[in-house]
Amino acid sequence: MIKNIKINDGDAVRDLQTLIRQPSVSAKNQGLVECAKLLAQIMLNAGIDTKLLYLTNNNSTEGEEEDNNSNIPSSPATQPPPLSSPPPIVYGEVKSKSNPNGKTILFYNHYDVQPVEPIELWDKNPFSGNVEGNYIFGRGAVDDKGELIARIKALEYYIKKTNDVPCNVKFIVEGEEEIGSVHLKEYISLYKEKFKCDGVIWESGFVDTRGRPIISLGQKGILSIEIVSKGPCRDAHSSLAALIENPTWSLIRLLNTLRDNNGNILIENWYNEVRGFTDEEISLIEKEPFDEDALMKEYGISSFINNAKGIEVKKAFAGMPTCNISGLVSGYVGEGSKTVLPSTTVARLDFRLVPDMIPQIQFERLKKHIRNYLLSTSNNNNNNYNGGSSNNTTIEIRLLGSEPATRTSINHPFVNIIKEAAIEVYGDAIINVSSAGTGPMYYINKLLGVPSVCIGGTDIPNRSHSPNEYMRIDLLNKTIKCMIVILEKFAFSCY
Amino acid sequence: MIKNIKINDGDAVRDLQTLIRQPSVSAKNQGLVECAKLLAQIMLNAGIDTKLLYLTNNNSTEGEEEDNNSNIPSSPATQPPPLSSPPPIVYGEVKSKSNPNGKTILFYNHYDVQPVEPIELWDKNPFSGNVEGNYIFGRGAVDDKGELIARIKALEYYIKKTNDVPCNVKFIVEGEEEIGSVHLKEYISLYKEKFKCDGVIWESGFVDTRGRPIISLGQKGILSIEIVSKGPCRDAHSSLAALIENPTWSLIRLLNTLRDNNGNILIENWYNEVRGFTDEEISLIEKEPFDEDALMKEYGISSFINNAKGIEVKKAFAGMPTCNISGLVSGYVGEGSKTVLPSTTVARLDFRLVPDMIPQIQFERLKKHIRNYLLSTSNNNNNNYNGGSSNNTTIEIRLLGSEPATRTSINHPFVNIIKEAAIEVYGDAIINVSSAGTGPMYYINKLLGVPSVCIGGTDIPNRSHSPNEYMRIDLLNKTIKCMIVILEKFAFSCY
């Protein structure tokens, strides 16, 4: 069947440009509803039955929480949600006429994008969707509007050719992925019946430099926290450093206790629940290509943490819990100088987690570590200890967000279907046990009870989250083809 | 004579508001020349012969480097200096008609101010000069525009009343005090003859909670540095924390080696040249009142560093070398979150120095400490050591500025003149061996060969360098009176 389906790449590029040109930056709550409506129109045009789903406060039935089709996107929703409510999920569905009782595949994607800053590093307007040769540039070109368009177009071409689809298909396209999928769990709980499916194709997937798709089966989790160290109640002149303790010192001493020079996290029991790799996973990791030199060159470094090489690098990337300082601020480092003793110092950290680590438990361990640390410094220095304070410094810790890690078993038949489809289109495929990144895959796997697999057309140096993000048009088309083959193979599988 | 001199406080307040309303933030090179010209006009109006002095590249005579009076401030200087040149010194002079061969007193002040950040903590616009009851609020209200206006008005009222001044008077008002008086040394060398005097009244001085002026005889020195820790050549996604070392960790480990929990600096030989206090100084320090509770209350703390109490607090404030982190920045701590592994982390530190410590030598000791630290971590972790780098992190250190410490001898007759004047106006006076702050007093004392004494009207909890800085109007007026008495007593002294 695939041989007869026509891929019209101009068509896919135009739809992608349309989506890129509608900014949808979730971190700034910019253009989300507008983008959701525009996307719904594109999906409707493709032949996908599409609705905007909202979370509402009442416990009414699902139907009452949906925008009516006819309201998308030409008129405002009949029950417009409050301004402060989360952005809608764009939900799409196509029932197979020939195979209505067969399996259902669900595509998980997102229509929100990362902020474009630093804007001065973009060659063109980040929302222009500028095409140059084989490249479409713009924020979201690949992450995730490009991947999403590939899936929509696969459906559209299939329907146009056959007036049907080989299996039931669902789409969940959320608007908060780039800010931690804040409401996805709630959405899934509320619309659990609607989202019922047999397997999920995750938002994206990489294609390596040799053109082989990397089929990834998991995601690390994350624990994002903020530590605030408070000293004097107002900034002081730095001459007072002879008398008043600068809260930056306490924070530095504390941070210094969290991790050793080789990347090991020093918080008690931190690694207790870490699930190791199975022998099968290890042998997959061994087979997985990894261009150490290219990565080192890209980042201008000469070695990896702990001097890791070979399989140790790949194991760390897929399965090492990390402790990273993503932000630190105190006082003044602007132009000129300011002789200030700052009243407050703030650090942000993200801890990547692996399967079986429970974010809330890890957070409690971190809090205990900080309490013990403060008690010990307090004793050593005859300072008062009062709750979270020592040496006239109060340490506060705040949970910013968390997501557990997940891995789909490499033995699940769904994995094999995707692999076979990928080999058919690309000639080869690589199985990756887990991505080093984080997403809400855990909630979908857990709440819907299904496997998730990442496959897509993202070039490895794609600059997602960075200036001059791009999608390769050849990969866009190949991904459309791959999705068509997945639909067919999935329809006729029997697990 | 003083009894007959009328203090018009509305007048002084208005002039101070005018100065506050002209932002002059040297750290940002904001409004400096504008402020200098405005100030020159206020001084001219007060009857002070005023010029703007510039540093020029040629070795011409002094006269050619000055703005002509007629050019202040109505037209641009006839030889406008290059844009990159240092801000001018506003130089003022009043020759005594009755006592032209008598002594000369010099007022040292500055027209630049600290940055206003964090702006959100100000109740009103920092450049509004808003008056509420006895308080004038605004950046520079006390430091140093308020103190400066008190001196100008003292001259103005004296001249208005007597058509003369009792001694020769000079003013040096510089525009770079808040960024370390970068060019003052050069200015003094160039205009040494013009600045010749017999004693200097320093920019400001404190008045304690019981209304007693604190006459301070010295200043600590300073060594301001920046440490930059560089890791990967670009920011990375924080999922790469499993492989790429975050340069923030190295900086934290390094900072942690500089100072212990009790404020002791751990750099080898740091204290070698520290000049202790003489017995006379110690007995002055003993007599000096110090309201520990008020200071602790102002800053919301319950103890001082090292649990110091009584004379130990006062000795630390006047004579303890310090190591302060005035700025620290890495990654992102703005709204929302950013899972980034930053390529660079920057720390700014200021070390306060005491007499006989030589900034350049201390800087060399610090650099040696960092070198040794990097070598030791490098050896421990089998990482390559290459210049200033370890664990794929490069540490760079940069000197931002320095000033040596100075103390005028408590036995100099100039000190006694000021003390007597202060007692006449305030009923009492306190001698302080050294301020905890830093200024370029060392250069003036050394290059002009004269004693310097601080006396002014700065309320102790004045919030200079902090949000909601204020000047008390009653103290402004008392300072004007005190300056008038100083002029008279100085004129008839014979040292």
Side-chain angles (χ1 to χ4, degrees), chain A residues 11 45-46 153 155-164:
Chain A
D11 198 46
N45 293 346
K153 296 316 268 188
L155 266 283
E156 181 178 337
Y157 299 146
Y158 211 105
I159 296 167
K160 275 194 179 142
K161 179 73 186 172
T162 66
N163 202 27
D164 196 11

Side-chain angles (χ1 to χ4, degrees), chain A residues 18-26 28-42 52 54 67 71-76 81 83 86-88 90 111-112 145 175:
Chain A
T18 303
L19 266 190
I20 290 171
R21 287 169 186 160
Q22 171 58 56
S24 52
V25 183
S26 46
K28 299 179 174 182
N29 197 16
Q30 181 192 3
L32 295 175
V33 172
E34 292 84 346
C35 190
K37 292 191 171 181
L38 184 67
L39 170 62
Q41 189 60 65
I42 290 172
L52 301 191
Y54 292 99
D67 267 11
N71 285 324
I72 298 167
S74 53
S75 71
L83 280 177
V90 183
Y111 60 85
D112 65 320
K145 291 173 174 175

Side-chain angles (χ1 to χ4, degrees), chain A residues 233-234 238 243 245-246 253 256 259 261 298-299 302-303 305 324-325 328 330 338 352 381 392, chain B residues 117 233-234 238 243 245-246 253 256 259 261 298-299 302-303 305 324-325 328 330 352 381 392:
Chain A
C233 60
R234 52 176 57 91
S238 78
L243 302 182
E245 180 69 359
N246 182 333
R253 280 190 292 270
N256 203 35
R259 179 186 178 275
N261 212 354
E298 172 75 6
Y299 289 102
S302 57
S303 62
I305 284 178
N324 176 59
I325 298 175
L328 193 55
S330 179
K338 188 174 175 184
R352 299 279 168 174
N381 298 286
N392 275 300
Chain B
E117 286 77 13
C233 60
R234 53 176 56 92
S238 77
L243 302 182
E245 181 68 1
N246 182 333
R253 280 190 292 270
N256 204 34
R259 178 186 178 274
N261 212 354
E298 171 71 8
Y299 287 102
S302 57
S303 63
I305 284 178
N324 177 58
I325 298 175
L328 193 55
S330 179
R352 299 281 168 174
N381 297 286
N392 275 300

Side-chain angles (χ1 to χ4, degrees), chain A residues 283-354:
Chain A
S283 71
L284 269 181
I285 291 172
E286 267 172 353
K287 274 184 229 155
E288 202 182 322
F290 190 99
D291 193 337
E292 297 179 27
D293 291 337
L295 188 66
M296 286 198 276
K297 201 176 155 196
E298 172 75 6
Y299 289 102
I301 58 175
S302 57
S303 62
F304 294 123
I305 284 178
N306 224 354
N307 255 325
K309 287 183 176 64
I311 192 170
E312 293 310 318
V313 173
K314 297 188 275 183
K315 280 168 73 179
F317 204 42
M320 176 176 146
T322 63
C323 172
N324 176 59
I325 298 175
S326 64
L328 193 55
V329 73
S330 179
Y332 182 82
V333 291
E335 218 184 324
S337 67
K338 188 174 175 184
T339 45
V340 67
L341 189 164
S343 68
T344 303
T345 304
V346 178
R348 293 247 181 101
L349 288 91
D350 59 82
F351 295 84
R352 299 279 168 174
L353 309 176
V354 299

Side-chain angles (χ1 to χ4, degrees), chain B residues 119-356:
Chain B
I119 190 133
E120 66 277 11
L121 297 185
W122 287 80
D123 296 333
K124 292 267 166 67
N125 174 353
F127 300 113
S128 67
N130 177 48
V131 172
E132 286 177 32
N134 191 29
Y135 298 86
I136 310 172
F137 290 93
R139 174 55 83 230
V142 59
D143 181 12
D144 184 43
K145 291 173 174 176
E147 295 282 7
L148 171 59
I149 284 295
R151 292 157 188 207
I152 294 170
K153 296 316 268 190
L155 266 282
E156 181 178 337
Y157 299 146
Y158 211 106
I159 296 167
K160 273 193 180 143
K161 179 73 188 173
T162 66
N163 203 27
D164 196 11
V165 281
C167 58
N168 299 313
V169 180
K170 292 180 178 176
F171 278 87
I172 299 178
V173 192
E174 69 151 317
E176 296 182 300
E177 197 274 345
E178 299 293 4
I179 53 168
S181 299
V182 196
H183 295 93
L184 186 67
K185 197 175 156 188
E186 262 183 272
Y187 268 115
I188 298 173
S189 305
L190 185 62
Y191 295 102
K192 207 171 158 178
E193 280 306 304
K194 191 185 280 296
F195 296 165
K196 229 174 145 176
C197 62
D198 300 288
V200 175
I201 302 291
W202 205 252
E203 53 157 318
S204 65
F206 290 99
V207 175
D208 77 0
T209 46
R210 287 165 57 188
R212 294 171 297 186
I214 299 164
I215 297 167
S216 182
L217 305 183
Q219 293 184 330
K220 283 185 179 174
I222 201 164
L223 173 68
S224 298
I225 59 125
E226 183 173 87
I227 305 177
V228 181
S229 182
K230 292 183 177 174
C233 60
R234 53 176 56 92
D235 283 1
H237 191 279
S238 77
S239 61
L240 281 162
L243 302 182
I244 300 177
E245 181 68 1
N246 182 333
T248 315
W249 292 114
S250 298
L251 187 61
I252 280 173
R253 280 190 292 270
L254 169 61
L255 291 174
N256 204 34
T257 67
L258 294 180
R259 178 186 178 274
D260 74 12
N261 212 354
N262 299 320
N264 300 306
I265 298 165
L266 305 174
I267 300 163
E268 200 182 12
N269 298 323
W270 194 258
Y271 297 98
N272 274 12
E273 290 82 10
V274 168
R275 190 205 299 173
F277 294 115
T278 64
D279 290 347
E280 269 178 312
E281 286 172 335
I282 290 281
S283 70
L284 268 180
I285 291 171
E286 267 172 353
K287 274 184 229 156
E288 201 183 322
F290 190 98
D291 193 338
E292 297 178 27
D293 292 338
L295 188 66
M296 288 197 276
K297 200 175 156 197
E298 171 71 8
Y299 287 102
I301 58 174
S302 57
S303 63
F304 293 124
I305 284 178
N306 223 353
N307 255 327
K309 288 183 176 62
I311 192 169
E312 292 310 318
V313 174
K314 297 188 277 183
K315 281 168 73 179
F317 204 43
M320 176 175 146
T322 64
C323 171
N324 177 58
I325 298 175
S326 64
L328 193 55
V329 73
S330 179
Y332 181 82
V333 292
E335 216 184 326
S337 66
K338 190 173 174 187
T339 45
V340 67
L341 189 163
S343 68
T344 303
T345 304
V346 177
R348 294 248 181 100
L349 288 93
D350 59 82
F351 295 84
R352 299 281 168 174
L353 309 175
V354 299
D356 299 347

